[in-house]
Amino acid sequence: MEAATEGIAKLQLDPETGEMVSKNELKKRLQKRAKKAAKAADTTPKPPKPAATTGQAQPAPAADVDAMFKRGFLADVYNERPSTTVRTRFPPEPNGFLHLGHAKAICVNFGFARFRNGECILRFDDTNPDAEEAVYFQAIEDMVAWLGFKPVQVTYSSDNFQKLYDLAEDLIRRGRAYVCHCTDVDIKKQRGGENGELPRYSCSHADQDAETNMSKFHDMRDGKYEPGAAVLRMKQDILGSGNPQMWDLAAYRIPKNRTPHFRTLDKWTIYPTYDFAHCLCDSIEGVTHSLCTTEFVTARESYDWLTKILEVYEPMQREYGRLNVEGTIMSKRALRKLVESGIVRGWDDPRLYTLIAIRRRGIPPGAILSFINELGVTTALTRIQITRFEQSVRRYLETTVPRLFLVLEPVRVVIQDLDELEGQELEMPLSKDPAMGSYKVKMTKTVYIDASDFRKEAHKDFFRLAPDTSVGLLQVPHPIKAVSFKEDETTGRVTEITATLDKSGQKPKAYIHWVPEGSRSVTARVYRPLFKSLDPSAVEGGFLADVNPDSETVYSDALINSGFDEIRKTAPWPKRKEEESLPAGPEDVRFQATRVSYFVSYCRYPCHT
């Protein structure tokens, strides 16, 4: 038995067939496929690549989590303004759930401060009560904590509403702001029209004196104007500047729906815009490095203009390339349509790329941090396909979570001559790394294999179980040979296989996973991409026409072996330093189902990751 199990430990996974085969067998297959592919392409064959792994896989060297701060763009940002008291901020709008792109912003801002022995603020940009809901505030805090970051303090733009209002009055007194009554159409014309086809011109209200503007601004504050009837605009350089962010941007407006503010309720009837509040909140809170994505490059000029005009402390804004993911959608409006139409079951549906969905799918925060560090930070837009993200996650999980046997579509196999093996406890390693431990499984006369591992007729290219052919069962000392099978007369589906032990001593060409009788019954969900194309929004008919009808497969009669109970007791998995301080949740019971995929136990069922 020991010799047999030692040989099994050295098996390699055939990525094309899903079979566990010997190293030499895998090498032969790879060479054969390479020759066939070369012939089909009519090109000169290249020398075959060596086998991907030899013996036990070794964990990849730990990535330098500080690499993106030590060199490159973020190092240059710091060197441009060195500081012994670095302070950054992550300023989300509480009007939706964070997605994968936000994870990069969180890592950049919190990581930059940590690396420079500084501090980072979590500031809610709560300046638009019409769009904000209480659920988003808590969800955002939860996701920041889940990623392993702790802000030095949680603040709100609304904390500064009185200071911002006072600064708006100061801007009016300086003759650099005016109350405008133009319609949106008129303002667009002043700025050159839809495509810049018209000459720009100043608003007629820009020449009002400071006293008139102050009086009108007070009327805005006191609720004497209807939404859209008046807006406070900054008097910038609409004629001389080529930057649209200097074309007399709005500073204060009256919200359309006049929804009471989540925190200040009905105290205010006017609210500052992002362009007015953002830089001033940075200034008020002592932010040294205001790090944002490159769509705000043009906003830097107005950011600096406003702090200079008001003669307040001037933070430094710098911009890095945002993270875009192909093959999915992340806009709040589109996600809402998916949820409300019932295509997905909620904002945390594992097929989405909101952070709450990624967490539910079982992807650990350490894998996200590793992926972002792998991408690095530059000023270029980072556009990646979902498959690249998922490959990075699998590499992370490969050496950090245990392995179990999960059979998605079980078929009963009765082994007629199990004899002395029946009732024996077989040692099942949780990983190639002995330090992760093992568990025991009792061998039974009846076992279950996956339906895909049996064919009714043998074929020279099929190395798993078929009549009169043998296959190895992982961690079992002898292969089994199928001698007969039963099938459903209506569907033709195989319902039972009769087998015997193959004690010929001949090594099987492949090994398959299995579970013994009495294994736990579970419902397993396997997920594939929600959309069929790389750019769902560009598809004719819109993204709803691109939905993949086979994005979720439910296996309601799956079986999992007893190792599942062991890993639930010892969760969380992975056990990585960056996660040790986090409380374990149901999504922390992660494992690799051998020859299938990665799964997480959540809401009483394993979800494919």
Side-chain angles (χ1 to χ4, degrees):
M1 178 184 284
E2 291 180 2
T5 54
E6 183 181 351
I8 291 170
K10 295 181 180 179
L11 296 175
Q12 308 292 314
L13 175 67
D14 184 332
E16 186 168 310
T17 67
E19 298 167 335
M20 301 295 290
V21 298
S22 69
K23 175 184 169 184
N24 288 336
E25 175 61 29
L26 179 59
K27 186 175 181 180
K28 290 177 184 177
R29 293 186 186 187
L30 293 175
Q31 289 175 339
K32 184 177 179 181
R33 289 171 194 157
K35 289 179 182 178
K36 289 176 74 173
K39 186 176 180 181
D42 194 27
T43 58
T44 302
K46 295 180 180 179
K49 294 182 180 180
T53 56
T54 55
Q56 291 192 348
Q58 299 298 317
D64 183 357
V65 295
D66 292 328
M68 64 184 182
F69 307 110
K70 291 178 178 178
R71 61 189 72 90
F73 171 75
L74 291 175
D76 293 342
V77 167
Y78 177 78
N79 292 332
E80 192 174 347
R81 182 186 274 194
S83 175
T84 56
T85 55
V86 166
R87 174 172 271 212
T88 61
R89 81 291 171 270
F90 172 59
E93 299 175 62
N95 60 3
F97 293 99
L98 301 182
H99 53 65
L100 183 58
H102 290 113
K104 180 176 181 179
I106 293 170
C107 292
V108 166
N109 281 283
F110 280 92
F112 184 89
R114 177 194 54 77
F115 182 70
R116 299 297 176 182
N117 297 314
E119 54 191 29
C120 184
I121 297 166
L122 169 59
R123 182 207 304 145
F124 288 104
D125 181 24
D126 56 340
T127 58
N128 184 11
D130 282 351
E132 297 157 7
E133 295 181 31
V135 64
Y136 300 133
F137 287 87
Q138 188 59 53
I140 290 170
E141 283 198 63
D142 289 346
M143 288 301 98
V144 170
W146 177 67
L147 285 172
F149 298 107
K150 185 176 181 180
V152 66
Q153 63 183 125
V154 177
T155 67
Y156 303 80
S157 294
S158 56
D159 293 338
N160 302 310
F161 275 175
Q162 185 60 55
K163 292 179 180 178
L164 293 170
Y165 175 83
D166 293 342
L167 287 168
E169 285 197 346
D170 189 9
L171 199 63
I172 292 172
R173 282 191 290 269
R174 293 171 184 266
R176 304 314 296 260
Y178 60 94
V179 174
C180 170
H181 302 285
C182 297
T183 65
D184 289 343
V185 173
D186 290 335
I187 292 175
K188 187 173 289 185
K189 288 180 180 178
Q190 294 165 19
R191 293 173 174 168
E194 188 72 38
N195 301 306
E197 70 278 5
L198 302 173
R200 296 194 301 276
Y201 60 94
S202 297
C203 172
S204 59
H205 306 104
D207 294 330
Q208 294 169 163
D209 58 46
E211 185 178 353
T212 300
N213 285 315
M214 190 69 76
S215 176
K216 289 184 175 184
F217 188 51
H218 289 169
D219 288 343
M220 287 177 62
R221 177 199 62 191
D222 297 337
K224 295 182 180 180
Y225 290 111
E226 292 297 313
V231 60
L232 182 69
R233 293 173 67 181
M234 293 179 269
K235 193 173 183 179
Q236 296 170 294
D237 191 8
I238 196 169
L239 297 180
S241 175
N243 183 353
Q245 287 295 120
M246 292 298 292
W247 296 349
D248 291 13
L249 300 177
Y252 265 82
R253 82 285 193 201
I254 305 167
K256 181 180 179 181
N257 299 329
R258 290 184 167 173
T259 305
H261 191 275
F262 174 68
R263 300 182 71 238
T264 62
L265 304 178
D266 294 323
K267 181 178 180 180
W268 296 92
T269 59
I270 56 174
Y271 292 90
T273 62
Y274 174 89
D275 293 303
F276 184 81
H278 185 66
C279 61
L280 295 180
C281 284
D282 281 354
S283 177
I284 292 167
E285 294 179 345
V287 169
T288 56
H289 301 79
S290 182
L291 306 174
C292 53
T293 48
T294 50
E295 65 262 40
F296 295 102
V297 166
T298 56
R300 190 200 300 181
E301 186 177 355
S302 60
Y303 183 107
D304 294 342
W305 175 88
L306 187 54
T307 53
K308 282 183 172 66
I309 287 293
L310 289 171
E311 299 180 274
V312 296
Y313 163 69
E314 300 173 27
M316 183 181 80
Q317 175 181 306
R318 290 297 180 266
E319 309 81 18
Y320 57 90
R322 68 182 297 170
L323 172 60
N324 281 0
V325 182
E326 294 181 342
T328 189
I329 55 171
M330 294 193 289
S331 79
K332 300 180 185 77
R333 182 176 299 178
L335 290 172
R336 189 177 299 277
K337 281 187 179 180
L338 289 172
V339 173
E340 293 177 350
S341 62
I343 292 173
V344 295
R345 284 187 289 273
W347 294 87
D348 65 344
D349 189 291
R351 289 165 290 184
L352 301 179
Y353 283 82
T354 58
L355 289 182
I356 55 173
I358 289 174
R359 178 177 67 177
R360 181 176 178 184
R361 191 175 173 183
I363 295 174
I368 298 173
L369 303 181
S370 176
F371 172 67
I372 291 170
N373 186 63
E374 175 187 311
L375 294 177
V377 179
T378 68
T379 57
L381 172 69
T382 303
R383 185 179 297 278
I384 60 111
Q385 293 184 15
I386 288 175
T387 50
R388 182 176 175 187
F389 171 63
E390 294 182 342
Q391 286 168 359
S392 177
V393 172
R394 284 193 289 271
R395 284 197 301 272
Y396 182 89
L397 294 174
E398 170 70 21
T399 57
T400 60
V401 300
R403 299 180 180 188
L404 303 177
F405 290 172
L406 171 68
V407 176
L408 296 177
E409 296 185 276
V411 174
R412 180 196 304 268
V413 179
V414 179
I415 306 173
Q416 292 181 324
D417 56 347
L418 196 58
D419 300 333
E420 73 278 1
L421 272 178
E422 186 169 5
Q424 282 196 22
E425 289 190 330
L426 304 179
E427 193 84 13
M428 298 288 186
L430 285 171
S431 169
K432 292 180 180 179
D433 180 4
M436 198 173 283
S438 63
Y439 63 98
K440 295 183 183 298
V441 169
K442 185 172 290 188
M443 188 66 191
T444 57
K445 183 176 180 179
T446 298
V447 299
Y448 294 86
I449 66 171
D450 198 89
S452 64
D453 285 331
F454 179 78
R455 284 189 182 178
K456 299 175 187 178
E457 295 182 6
H459 190 277
K460 63 182 181 67
D461 292 328
F462 185 74
F463 298 97
R464 287 166 278 172
L465 195 60
D468 296 322
T469 64
S470 297
V471 72
L473 298 180
L474 286 166
Q475 305 302 131
V476 176
H478 300 291
I480 60 171
K481 176 182 285 189
V483 295
S484 65
F485 64 89
K486 297 177 183 178
E487 58 184 325
D488 186 292
E489 294 181 358
T490 304
T491 64
R493 183 186 179 115
V494 175
T495 57
E496 183 175 294
I497 302 165
T498 301
T500 60
L501 292 179
D502 182 353
K503 297 183 179 180
S504 65
Q506 186 174 354
K507 193 171 185 179
K509 290 186 176 181
Y511 286 80
I512 60 175
H513 65 290
W514 59 281
V515 296
E517 191 169 36
S519 294
R520 178 189 293 270
S521 177
V522 295
T523 296
R525 288 167 167 80
V526 173
Y527 292 103
R528 296 174 181 83
L530 182 59
F531 298 101
K532 294 178 284 188
S533 70
L534 290 179
D535 189 358
S537 299
V539 171
E540 185 177 353
F543 67 89
L544 292 178
D546 193 47
V547 171
N548 174 13
D550 300 318
S551 61
E552 179 186 60
T553 304
V554 180
Y555 298 91
S556 56
D557 299 313
L559 295 174
I560 192 167
N561 69 11
S562 58
F564 181 64
D565 297 321
E566 178 67 24
I567 69 163
R568 283 208 303 181
K569 293 176 186 176
T570 54
W573 299 96
K575 297 181 180 299
R576 283 291 182 96
K577 289 182 179 180
E578 59 262 35
E579 295 178 32
E580 285 177 354
S581 61
L582 299 175
E587 70 279 357
D588 289 314
V589 186
R590 306 177 181 95
F591 62 93
Q592 180 182 4
T594 302
R595 299 178 60 237
V596 184
S597 190
Y598 292 92
F599 285 79
V600 61
S601 172
Y602 197 87
C603 295
R604 300 180 302 281
Y605 61 80
C607 275
H608 162 270
T609 65

